[in-house]
Short mmCIF file of all heavy atoms in Angstrom, two decimals:
data_model
loop_
_atom_site.label_atom_id
_atom_site.label_comp_id
_atom_site.label_asym_id
_atom_site.label_seq_id
_atom_site.Cartn_x
_atom_site.Cartn_y
_atom_site.Cartn_z
N LEU N 14 0.80 -1.19 0.03
CA LEU N 14 0.00 0.02 0.00
C LEU N 14 0.82 1.30 -0.01
O LEU N 14 0.60 2.15 -0.74
CB LEU N 14 -1.00 0.09 1.15
CG LEU N 14 -1.89 1.20 1.28
CD1 LEU N 14 -2.72 1.37 -0.07
CD2 LEU N 14 -2.83 1.11 2.44
N ALA N 15 1.89 1.30 0.84
CA ALA N 15 2.77 2.47 0.89
C ALA N 15 3.47 2.82 -0.45
O ALA N 15 3.60 3.99 -0.82
CB ALA N 15 3.82 2.33 1.96
N SER N 16 3.78 1.80 -1.20
CA SER N 16 4.43 1.99 -2.50
C SER N 16 3.55 2.65 -3.51
O SER N 16 3.99 3.30 -4.34
CB SER N 16 5.02 0.69 -3.03
OG SER N 16 3.90 -0.16 -3.39
N GLN N 17 2.26 2.52 -3.38
CA GLN N 17 1.23 3.13 -4.18
C GLN N 17 1.29 4.69 -4.02
O GLN N 17 0.79 5.37 -4.88
CB GLN N 17 -0.13 2.56 -4.00
CG GLN N 17 -0.20 1.12 -4.30
CD GLN N 17 -1.56 0.48 -3.93
OE1 GLN N 17 -2.57 1.13 -3.81
NE2 GLN N 17 -1.48 -0.82 -3.66
N PHE N 18 1.82 5.15 -2.88
CA PHE N 18 1.89 6.59 -2.59
C PHE N 18 3.29 7.10 -2.49
O PHE N 18 3.48 8.24 -2.17
CB PHE N 18 1.07 6.82 -1.28
CG PHE N 18 -0.33 6.45 -1.38
CD1 PHE N 18 -0.80 5.30 -0.83
CD2 PHE N 18 -1.31 7.33 -2.04
CE1 PHE N 18 -2.13 4.90 -0.95
CE2 PHE N 18 -2.61 6.95 -2.07
CZ PHE N 18 -3.00 5.76 -1.60
N GLY N 19 4.32 6.17 -2.64
CA GLY N 19 5.62 6.56 -2.59
C GLY N 19 6.05 7.02 -1.12
O GLY N 19 6.81 7.98 -0.97
N VAL N 20 5.52 6.36 -0.13
CA VAL N 20 5.79 6.79 1.32
C VAL N 20 6.41 5.59 1.99
O VAL N 20 6.34 4.39 1.58
CB VAL N 20 4.48 7.28 1.95
CG1 VAL N 20 3.91 8.50 1.28
CG2 VAL N 20 3.46 6.22 2.11
N GLY N 21 6.78 5.87 3.26
CA GLY N 21 7.39 4.83 4.09
C GLY N 21 6.30 4.05 4.75
O GLY N 21 5.09 4.34 4.76
N CYS N 22 6.69 2.89 5.27
CA CYS N 22 5.80 1.92 5.98
C CYS N 22 6.49 1.33 7.10
O CYS N 22 7.70 1.43 7.23
CB CYS N 22 5.27 0.92 5.00
SG CYS N 22 6.50 -0.22 4.36
N THR N 23 5.74 0.72 8.02
CA THR N 23 6.22 0.16 9.18
C THR N 23 5.26 -0.97 9.70
O THR N 23 4.06 -0.94 9.36
CB THR N 23 6.55 1.11 10.29
OG1 THR N 23 7.20 0.39 11.38
CG2 THR N 23 5.31 1.76 10.77
N ASN N 24 5.80 -1.96 10.40
CA ASN N 24 4.99 -2.89 11.12
C ASN N 24 5.20 -2.78 12.60
O ASN N 24 4.99 -3.68 13.41
CB ASN N 24 5.17 -4.30 10.59
CG ASN N 24 6.62 -4.82 10.87
OD1 ASN N 24 7.50 -4.06 11.18
ND2 ASN N 24 6.72 -6.07 10.75
N ASN N 25 5.84 -1.70 13.00
CA ASN N 25 6.27 -1.46 14.36
C ASN N 25 5.56 -0.18 14.83
O ASN N 25 5.86 0.93 14.34
CB ASN N 25 7.75 -1.35 14.53
CG ASN N 25 8.28 -1.17 15.83
OD1 ASN N 25 7.50 -0.80 16.79
ND2 ASN N 25 9.55 -1.45 16.09
N LEU N 26 4.65 -0.26 15.77
CA LEU N 26 3.92 0.93 16.23
C LEU N 26 4.87 2.01 16.83
O LEU N 26 4.57 3.12 16.71
CB LEU N 26 2.87 0.59 17.28
CG LEU N 26 1.64 -0.18 16.73
CD1 LEU N 26 0.75 -0.57 17.82
CD2 LEU N 26 0.91 0.73 15.77
N SER N 27 5.98 1.63 17.41
CA SER N 27 6.85 2.65 17.98
C SER N 27 7.59 3.45 16.89
O SER N 27 8.11 4.43 17.21
CB SER N 27 7.95 1.95 18.91
OG SER N 27 8.83 1.13 18.14
N LEU N 28 7.51 2.99 15.63
CA LEU N 28 8.07 3.76 14.53
C LEU N 28 6.95 4.59 13.80
O LEU N 28 7.27 5.16 12.74
CB LEU N 28 8.76 2.83 13.57
CG LEU N 28 9.95 2.07 14.14
CD1 LEU N 28 10.56 1.09 13.11
CD2 LEU N 28 11.00 3.04 14.73
N LEU N 29 5.73 4.58 14.29
CA LEU N 29 4.69 5.34 13.66
C LEU N 29 4.98 6.83 13.70
O LEU N 29 5.29 7.33 14.80
CB LEU N 29 3.37 4.99 14.33
CG LEU N 29 2.05 5.26 13.53
CD1 LEU N 29 2.01 4.27 12.33
CD2 LEU N 29 0.86 5.07 14.47
N ARG N 30 4.74 7.49 12.57
CA ARG N 30 5.01 8.89 12.62
C ARG N 30 3.90 9.56 13.51
O ARG N 30 2.77 9.14 13.60
CB ARG N 30 4.74 9.52 11.21
CG ARG N 30 5.87 9.09 10.24
CD ARG N 30 5.60 9.63 8.87
NE ARG N 30 5.64 11.12 8.92
CZ ARG N 30 6.03 11.87 7.92
NH1 ARG N 30 6.29 11.37 6.77
NH2 ARG N 30 6.03 13.20 8.06
N THR N 31 4.40 10.59 14.22
CA THR N 31 3.45 11.34 15.14
C THR N 31 3.21 12.75 14.67
O THR N 31 2.56 13.56 15.40
CB THR N 31 3.99 11.31 16.53
OG1 THR N 31 5.29 11.98 16.57
CG2 THR N 31 4.12 9.91 17.17
N ASP N 32 3.66 13.14 13.48
CA ASP N 32 3.51 14.44 12.97
C ASP N 32 2.42 14.62 11.95
O ASP N 32 2.23 15.69 11.40
CB ASP N 32 4.86 14.92 12.38
CG ASP N 32 5.35 14.13 11.22
OD1 ASP N 32 4.79 12.95 11.06
OD2 ASP N 32 6.25 14.59 10.50
N ALA N 33 1.65 13.66 11.67
CA ALA N 33 0.52 13.68 10.77
C ALA N 33 -0.65 14.41 11.47
O ALA N 33 -0.69 14.52 12.65
CB ALA N 33 0.10 12.31 10.21
N ASP N 34 -1.58 14.85 10.61
CA ASP N 34 -2.77 15.59 11.19
C ASP N 34 -3.88 14.55 11.50
O ASP N 34 -4.64 14.69 12.43
CB ASP N 34 -3.36 16.53 10.15
CG ASP N 34 -2.29 17.57 9.72
OD1 ASP N 34 -1.75 18.22 10.58
OD2 ASP N 34 -1.94 17.63 8.50
N ILE N 35 -3.96 13.52 10.69
CA ILE N 35 -5.10 12.57 10.73
C ILE N 35 -4.51 11.16 10.70
O ILE N 35 -3.62 10.83 9.94
CB ILE N 35 -6.08 12.90 9.61
CG1 ILE N 35 -6.60 14.23 9.67
CG2 ILE N 35 -7.25 11.82 9.60
CD1 ILE N 35 -7.25 14.74 8.43
N TYR N 36 -5.14 10.27 11.50
CA TYR N 36 -4.86 8.88 11.56
C TYR N 36 -6.11 8.07 11.28
O TYR N 36 -7.05 8.19 11.98
CB TYR N 36 -4.21 8.47 12.95
CG TYR N 36 -2.88 9.11 13.17
CD1 TYR N 36 -2.81 10.48 13.44
CD2 TYR N 36 -1.74 8.42 12.92
CE1 TYR N 36 -1.56 11.14 13.66
CE2 TYR N 36 -0.48 9.08 13.13
CZ TYR N 36 -0.46 10.44 13.47
OH TYR N 36 0.75 11.08 13.59
N ILE N 37 -6.05 7.24 10.21
CA ILE N 37 -7.11 6.39 9.85
C ILE N 37 -6.82 4.93 10.32
O ILE N 37 -5.85 4.35 10.00
CB ILE N 37 -7.30 6.27 8.29
CG1 ILE N 37 -7.59 7.69 7.67
CG2 ILE N 37 -8.43 5.30 7.96
CD1 ILE N 37 -7.65 7.74 6.25
N PHE N 38 -7.72 4.44 11.20
CA PHE N 38 -7.60 3.09 11.74
C PHE N 38 -8.52 2.20 10.98
O PHE N 38 -9.69 2.04 11.30
CB PHE N 38 -7.91 3.06 13.17
CG PHE N 38 -6.94 3.74 14.07
CD1 PHE N 38 -6.86 5.15 14.15
CD2 PHE N 38 -6.01 3.02 14.84
CE1 PHE N 38 -5.91 5.84 14.99
CE2 PHE N 38 -5.04 3.66 15.58
CZ PHE N 38 -5.04 5.04 15.67
N ALA N 39 -8.00 1.61 9.83
CA ALA N 39 -8.78 0.67 9.06
C ALA N 39 -8.32 -0.71 9.22
O ALA N 39 -7.56 -1.33 8.36
CB ALA N 39 -8.79 1.10 7.60
N ILE N 40 -8.55 -1.25 10.44
CA ILE N 40 -8.05 -2.55 10.81
C ILE N 40 -9.18 -3.36 11.44
O ILE N 40 -10.31 -2.81 11.63
CB ILE N 40 -6.97 -2.35 11.87
CG1 ILE N 40 -7.40 -1.55 13.09
CG2 ILE N 40 -5.71 -1.77 11.26
CD1 ILE N 40 -6.41 -1.30 14.16
N SER N 41 -8.94 -4.61 11.76
CA SER N 41 -10.04 -5.48 12.33
C SER N 41 -10.45 -4.97 13.68
O SER N 41 -9.73 -4.17 14.39
CB SER N 41 -9.44 -6.93 12.48
OG SER N 41 -8.53 -6.90 13.55
N ASP N 42 -11.72 -5.25 13.93
CA ASP N 42 -12.31 -4.81 15.15
C ASP N 42 -11.49 -5.19 16.43
O ASP N 42 -11.26 -4.36 17.26
CB ASP N 42 -13.69 -5.33 15.32
CG ASP N 42 -14.69 -4.73 14.27
OD1 ASP N 42 -14.31 -3.88 13.54
OD2 ASP N 42 -15.81 -5.19 14.22
N ASP N 43 -11.02 -6.40 16.43
CA ASP N 43 -10.22 -6.84 17.60
C ASP N 43 -8.86 -6.10 17.74
O ASP N 43 -8.43 -5.69 18.80
CB ASP N 43 -9.86 -8.34 17.44
CG ASP N 43 -11.04 -9.17 17.61
OD1 ASP N 43 -12.06 -8.74 18.30
OD2 ASP N 43 -11.06 -10.34 17.08
N ALA N 44 -8.26 -5.84 16.55
CA ALA N 44 -6.97 -5.07 16.52
C ALA N 44 -7.19 -3.62 17.09
O ALA N 44 -6.24 -3.06 17.69
CB ALA N 44 -6.39 -5.02 15.18
N LEU N 45 -8.36 -3.08 16.87
CA LEU N 45 -8.62 -1.67 17.33
C LEU N 45 -8.42 -1.60 18.90
O LEU N 45 -7.75 -0.59 19.36
CB LEU N 45 -10.05 -1.23 17.06
CG LEU N 45 -10.29 -0.66 15.72
CD1 LEU N 45 -11.84 -0.46 15.43
CD2 LEU N 45 -9.59 0.68 15.54
N PHE N 46 -8.86 -2.58 19.62
CA PHE N 46 -8.77 -2.48 21.09
C PHE N 46 -7.30 -2.62 21.45
O PHE N 46 -6.86 -2.03 22.35
CB PHE N 46 -9.60 -3.65 21.65
CG PHE N 46 -11.04 -3.48 21.53
CD1 PHE N 46 -11.80 -4.02 20.47
CD2 PHE N 46 -11.73 -2.52 22.39
CE1 PHE N 46 -13.14 -3.82 20.40
CE2 PHE N 46 -13.13 -2.25 22.26
CZ PHE N 46 -13.78 -2.91 21.22
N ASP N 47 -6.54 -3.54 20.72
CA ASP N 47 -5.14 -3.67 21.14
C ASP N 47 -4.33 -2.49 20.79
O ASP N 47 -3.46 -2.05 21.65
CB ASP N 47 -4.56 -4.93 20.35
CG ASP N 47 -5.23 -6.25 20.69
OD1 ASP N 47 -5.72 -6.28 21.90
OD2 ASP N 47 -5.19 -7.17 19.97
N ILE N 48 -4.46 -1.89 19.64
CA ILE N 48 -3.68 -0.78 19.23
C ILE N 48 -3.99 0.49 20.08
O ILE N 48 -3.09 1.25 20.40
CB ILE N 48 -3.87 -0.50 17.70
CG1 ILE N 48 -3.08 -1.53 16.94
CG2 ILE N 48 -3.38 0.92 17.44
CD1 ILE N 48 -3.10 -1.36 15.43
N ALA N 49 -5.18 0.59 20.54
CA ALA N 49 -5.62 1.73 21.33
C ALA N 49 -4.85 1.74 22.67
O ALA N 49 -4.56 2.87 23.21
CB ALA N 49 -7.07 1.70 21.65
N LEU N 50 -4.37 0.61 23.08
CA LEU N 50 -3.58 0.57 24.32
C LEU N 50 -2.16 0.97 24.10
O LEU N 50 -1.43 1.35 25.10
CB LEU N 50 -3.64 -0.86 24.89
CG LEU N 50 -5.05 -1.41 25.27
CD1 LEU N 50 -5.00 -2.86 25.73
CD2 LEU N 50 -5.71 -0.56 26.33
N ASP N 51 -1.71 0.90 22.90
CA ASP N 51 -0.27 1.14 22.66
C ASP N 51 0.12 2.51 22.05
O ASP N 51 1.30 2.87 22.05
CB ASP N 51 0.27 0.07 21.65
CG ASP N 51 0.21 -1.31 22.15
OD1 ASP N 51 0.35 -1.48 23.36
OD2 ASP N 51 0.05 -2.24 21.41
N LEU N 52 -0.85 3.29 21.70
CA LEU N 52 -0.59 4.57 21.01
C LEU N 52 -1.01 5.74 21.83
O LEU N 52 -2.04 5.73 22.51
CB LEU N 52 -1.26 4.67 19.69
CG LEU N 52 -0.72 3.81 18.53
CD1 LEU N 52 -1.62 4.04 17.25
CD2 LEU N 52 0.69 4.22 18.21
N LYS N 53 -0.32 6.79 21.79
CA LYS N 53 -0.69 8.09 22.30
C LYS N 53 -0.41 9.18 21.26
O LYS N 53 0.79 9.39 20.88
CB LYS N 53 0.06 8.42 23.56
CG LYS N 53 -0.17 7.41 24.73
CD LYS N 53 -1.45 7.44 25.34
CE LYS N 53 -1.74 6.52 26.44
NZ LYS N 53 -2.53 5.38 26.20
#
């Protein structure tokens, strides 16, 4: 997906950019609960 926009990607939440304006969470319902605990 990232290559379609020429941007970086990660599978590590600690490497998630924090300088964007908007974050789209288009993941499974179960994963929403898990990720919500790991991000600020």
Side-chain angles (χ1 to χ4, degrees):
L14 182 56
S16 67
Q17 296 171 27
F18 300 98
V20 300
C22 63
T23 185
N24 65 344
N25 183 340
L26 286 174
S27 67
L28 298 177
L29 201 68
R30 292 179 64 150
T31 58
D32 61 343
D34 303 302
I35 300 164
Y36 293 77
I37 301 174
F38 291 77
I40 55 180
S41 71
D42 292 356
D43 292 337
L45 274 170
F46 292 98
D47 295 337
I48 286 182
L50 299 174
D51 294 332
L52 286 177
K53 299 291 184 248

